[in-house]
Amino acid sequence: MKRTFAQSLALYATVIFTLLMILFPVYWLVVTALSTTNELYRLPPTFWPTDPQWDIFARVWAAKPILMWLWNSMLAAVGSVALSMLVSVSAGYALSRYSMRGGATMGLFVLTAKMLPATLLVIPLFSIFSSFGLIGSLWTLVLAHSTMIIPFATWMLKGYFDTIPKELEQAAMVDGCSPIGAMVRVVLPIATPGLAATALYAFVLSWADYAYARTFLVNSPDNWTANLGITTMQGEYVTYWNDISAASVFIALPIIAIYLFLERYLVGGLTAGAEK
Amino acid sequence: MANISIRNVSKSYGALNVLRPFSLEIENGEFVVLVGPSGCGKSTMLKILAGLEPATEGQIFIGDREVTDLAPGDRDIAMVFQNYALYPHLTVRQNIGFGLKMRGTDKTEIDRRVDDAARILEVTPYLDRKPKDLSGGQRQRVALGRAIVRQPQAFLMDEPLSNLDAKLRVHMRAEIGALHKRIGVTTVYVTHDQVEAMTMADRVVIMQGGLIQQIAAPDELFNNPANLFVAGFIGSPGMNFLNAELRDGQLTAFGQQISLPRATTHQGPVVVGLRPEHLTLGEGPVTFSVRPTLVESLGSEKYVYFEAEGARIADGEDSKSKGLIARVSHSGALPRNEEIRLGFDPAQLYLFNFKTGERL
Ligand SMILES: Nc1ncnc2c1ncn2[C@@H]1O[C@H](COP(=O)(O)OP(=O)(O)O)[C@@H](O)[C@H]1O
Ligand SMILES: [Mg+2]
């Protein structure tokens, strides 16, 4: 169907408006980083600094252990992704393929865990972790983030596995695979887009966490994640918003990189051709 | 290649009995078709044979080996699925060779056998494509290729043609038949289409509600149906049925007394079956007059629809009234609602027990 001019106009207007909504905060972050402190407090605000402070990035990088923070965030996120994917893939696959007594109820129960706010879980988790002597260790984040990620990830993956015809595993088993072999050789490769989307979701959730990191790691500066590190840049009397913004840009970059890397796996339609 | 022996296999899902004790001996190289309406348990039986579902009770032998508790991969069978179930992430070559690879066959041997199978099924030009870049018919061939490449003891096929359009279906039907003649592997083929069953099978197993209704060669099934269900299921258009009264060898039907040539001692209500093609236009040993409610022309043949006292469908106790059909050779015009004479030979009537539906 060919679009009329008015339809095209409406379409592009919507796209541009949405993009502006999404990109404006990012743009504002960059503008804030590049402005001098004086310019930041000027009214009306300027939409591009008169004297962009490009050296701010180098200054902040030198002044703060940004690389260490990023590294800690990365460790926590990769650990959370690995642990939660291991659990969610197995659980989602089992919920999708095997009917078990109370399976549906259990599935719903798992999902309600997702509805509990982090602040509710943080106290019991703290006492559990301290009895295991984990407070201050990045393992607290791996475990705590996994409790947030696993319920929803399990449901995402169950939904994805449901779309894969079970005849594919049956064919693989007739061809000589064990049930696990059929899952590894046939189902998981086909589920790549679903796995990638879930892993991205898990990574972002872990990367964006502040509450858990603040509670479990505040007294261990060597294990601070990026989000926790940045908030310590807020001074008691003066806050250098340009420094904080520059640091935030550094933190946003890995997410963008991960997204670009996973994008090619996110495209759906990989099952096309399996059936008639 | 091997014979298959299914001994008293039953299957239930909780309280639902999907298969009643099911026994069947399939000979080496035989082409057996399981046919029956949707939901009668055909796929379940095939999955039990393949090892994809456990039987609730009973035993299965392939060759001399009991396979009841073996995993699908250890049964040395190949299966073709209704939706083909090709591995979408693998090329045609990898799809066909997958089973060999899983069994640790060496690379050059896999290539050789895949090439052979591809040649037989004429898919050589597509070996490097992914399934999504194939047409329905080509996918069907790849699915068959995946089955024949392993040279298994038996092929199991679950409605492999039902996703093809009518013309391709007829073509592939003949091709599967030719393939079976060529490689002679014992085959169990499932379909709901009685035409497929009749044209392809050495023997047909007719099922309904998890029960075997009859096991027979196609012609035998057509000529000697064991019960009402089989009689109604086989043949197109289907057999006509009438409720009638049998007394002292005299049948009351079509408004007259008909003397039956075969002696029968049965008394009381019966169901009478008469195939549409056994009715002829004009006088016969028994003749009656009707006004056609509809005449369908197929050129040299006509389907004449008419009503008659006691007409009923095969199953359904309510003897819901239904029109009867005569399939007559006649190329002239047959106006609707104008009286015509139809004749038949009482030797060609089928009689069924009114209550049980068993053939008398
Ligand atoms: N996993 C299952 N759980 C419960 N009932 C099932 C299951 N699989 C099949 N059935 C039931 O078993 C009956 C036979 O199914 P099936 O063998 O697929 O029939 P067919 O292939 O002859 O159409 C149907 O009534 C179906 O609903
Ligand atoms: Mg079926």
Side-chain angles (χ1 to χ4, degrees):
Chain A
M1 197 180 67
K2 249 186 112 57
R3 281 193 293 267
T4 65
F5 177 72
Q7 281 169 329
S8 293
L9 198 69
L11 183 71
Y12 283 107
T14 315
V15 169
I16 289 168
F17 178 74
T18 313
L19 273 178
L20 281 179
M21 296 280 286
I22 293 168
L23 291 179
F24 186 79
V26 181
Y27 157 77
W28 202 244
L29 191 71
V30 175
V31 168
T32 310
L34 293 177
S35 304
T36 58
T37 317
N38 286 339
E39 193 163 9
L40 277 180
Y41 293 107
R42 193 177 299 157
L43 276 174
T46 43
F47 281 87
W48 190 249
T50 39
D51 178 19
Q53 308 287 303
W54 290 106
D55 64 331
I56 181 108
F57 294 108
R59 267 200 293 118
V60 169
W61 186 268
K64 295 286 173 185
I66 304 250
L67 190 62
M68 187 185 79
W69 293 345
L70 285 174
W71 177 245
N72 288 334
S73 282
M74 186 63 77
L75 284 181
V78 168
S80 309
V81 169
L83 177 62
S84 51
M85 287 303 277
L86 193 71
V87 176
S88 312
V89 166
S90 326
Y93 187 69
L95 282 173
S96 164
R97 287 303 194 260
Y98 298 97
S99 57
M100 50 199 126
R101 200 182 295 266
T105 330
M106 198 159 74
L108 271 181
F109 179 74
V110 165
L111 199 58
T112 52
K114 162 79 183 154
M115 295 165 189
L116 303 176
T119 43
L120 192 78
L121 292 175
V122 86
I123 296 163
L125 281 176
F126 189 92
S127 69
I128 294 171
F129 291 152
S130 54
S131 61
F132 283 95
L134 285 175
I135 296 299
S137 149
L138 278 175
W139 286 108
T140 56
L141 293 194
V142 171
L143 293 171
H145 292 169
S146 295
T147 65
M148 292 192 297
I149 295 163
I150 287 169
F152 192 66
T154 300
W155 270 86
M156 262 173 97
L157 288 170
K158 178 199 179 289
Y160 204 86
F161 289 137
D162 283 346
T163 65
I164 298 177
K166 61 180 183 310
E167 282 81 4
L168 283 172
E169 288 129 283
Q170 295 181 338
M173 286 196 270
V174 169
D175 268 343
C177 289
S178 65
I180 301 273
M183 172 178 157
V184 172
R185 286 175 179 279
V186 174
V187 177
L188 293 187
I190 300 169
T192 313
L195 298 177
T198 313
L200 186 65
Y201 160 83
F203 191 94
V204 170
L205 210 67
S206 171
W207 193 265
D209 166 63
Y210 169 68
Y212 286 128
R214 172 80 179 72
T215 317
F216 303 140
L217 302 180
V218 70
N219 293 324
S220 314
D222 284 351
N223 283 337
W224 282 356
T225 58
N227 273 353
L228 182 53
I230 283 189
T231 54
T232 65
M233 290 169 67
Q234 190 166 3
E236 199 167 339
Y237 306 106
V238 215
T239 297
Y240 295 102
W241 286 111
N242 46 350
D243 289 5
I244 291 183
S245 300
S248 302
V249 171
F250 286 128
I251 293 173
L253 287 178
I255 290 281
I256 294 169
I258 295 269
Y259 180 78
L260 290 179
F261 171 72
L262 285 180
E263 193 201 357
R264 75 188 102 155
Y265 300 110
L266 287 169
V267 282
L270 275 189
T271 39
E275 301 182 81
K276 43 189 163 147
Chain B
M1 280 189 283
N3 58 316
I4 298 175
S5 171
I6 303 170
R7 303 186 189 163
N8 286 312
V9 166
S10 64
K11 175 76 183 174
S12 31
Y13 290 106
L16 180 70
N17 290 319
V18 175
L19 286 176
R20 316 300 171 86
F22 188 110
S23 293
L24 177 64
E25 296 291 329
I26 300 171
E27 292 188 14
N28 189 3
E30 201 177 12
F31 197 110
V32 166
V33 175
L34 306 185
V35 66
S38 173
C40 72
K42 309 179 296 286
S43 297
T44 305
M45 187 62 242
L46 211 61
K47 282 185 199 148
I48 292 174
L49 265 181
L52 295 167
E53 287 279 352
T56 307
E57 269 173 67
Q59 293 170 299
I60 293 169
F61 290 79
I62 297 178
D64 307 325
R65 245 178 4 140
E66 176 166 5
V67 299
T68 318
D69 298 316
L70 290 187
D74 299 332
R75 295 189 176 201
D76 202 9
I77 41 105
M79 187 151 173
V80 179
F81 293 86
Q82 179 171 5
N83 59 13
Y84 312 152
L86 300 180
Y87 310 124
H89 59 303
L90 302 180
T91 62
V92 169
R93 175 179 286 285
Q94 292 167 325
N95 260 281
I96 298 178
F98 189 81
L100 294 173
K101 192 175 157 201
M102 288 304 107
R103 285 172 171 72
T105 314
D106 76 59
K107 182 85 179 63
T108 50
E109 174 72 2
I110 295 180
D111 281 344
R112 194 183 60 75
R113 280 164 69 172
V114 170
D115 286 335
D116 279 352
R119 196 158 350 97
I120 293 173
L121 289 158
E122 297 164 19
V123 294
T124 310
Y126 324 116
L127 277 175
D128 295 318
R129 292 199 198 166
K130 293 276 180 69
K132 68 173 187 303
D133 301 321
L134 300 177
S135 71
Q138 290 163 349
R139 286 176 197 175
Q140 172 68 75
R141 286 163 187 278
V142 174
L144 286 171
R146 198 166 62 177
I148 67 169
V149 77
R150 295 217 330 261
Q151 304 168 355
Q153 300 282 343
F155 290 151
L156 310 178
M157 307 193 186
D158 193 353
E159 313 221 11
L161 303 183
S162 59
N163 282 330
L164 299 177
D165 62 53
K167 201 168 153 206
L168 201 51
R169 190 154 61 221
V170 172
H171 178 75
M172 285 306 294
R173 196 164 81 197
E175 248 183 69
I176 291 178
L179 192 67
H180 178 254
K181 288 229 163 52
R182 175 168 175 179
I183 56 185
V185 174
T186 315
T187 304
V188 183
Y189 183 105
V190 159
T191 178
H192 63 268
D193 179 354
Q194 56 107 2
V195 179
E196 256 173 48
M198 295 295 276
T199 51
M200 300 177 82
D202 292 328
R203 269 194 310 159
V204 180
V205 178
I206 297 203
M207 299 171 59
Q208 191 205 15
L211 276 174
I212 296 182
Q213 302 291 316
Q214 189 170 2
I215 305 175
D219 286 342
E220 173 71 8
L221 217 52
F222 185 84
N223 294 324
N224 283 313
N227 58 36
L228 258 183
F229 176 79
V230 175
F233 194 80
I234 299 293
S236 173
M239 191 183 278
N240 296 309
F241 296 111
L242 290 168
N243 291 329
E245 206 47 41
L246 184 62
R247 207 149 299 288
D248 304 329
Q250 293 278 312
L251 194 69
T252 315
F254 299 111
Q256 52 194 293
Q257 295 282 318
I258 301 168
S259 300
L260 290 177
R262 276 180 302 125
T264 169
T265 54
H266 195 88
Q267 301 282 356
V270 291
V271 178
V272 176
L274 179 57
R275 292 213 178 269
E277 48 273 37
H278 291 157
L279 281 159
T280 51
L281 211 52
E283 304 298 312
V286 176
T287 312
F288 58 98
S289 301
V290 292
R291 290 178 188 279
T293 53
L294 177 69
V295 177
E296 283 176 351
S297 177
L298 304 179
S300 63
E301 257 182 7
K302 300 260 183 307
Y303 290 174
V304 180
Y305 293 75
F306 58 96
E307 280 169 6
E309 179 98 6
R312 58 169 279 167
I313 52 178
D315 35 16
E317 311 280 301
D318 60 345
S319 66
K320 192 173 76 179
S321 173
K322 175 188 162 266
L324 301 187
I325 306 178
R327 179 177 169 184
V328 299
S329 302
H330 182 76
S331 51
L334 274 181
R336 207 159 67 91
N337 268 332
E338 211 159 276
E339 196 164 277
I340 56 167
R341 304 273 290 161
L342 290 174
F344 65 89
D345 180 350
Q348 287 175 320
L349 290 179
Y350 296 86
L351 296 182
F352 302 93
N353 185 304
F354 187 80
K355 284 206 183 65
T356 64
E358 292 304 310
R359 178 91 177 277
L360 293 177

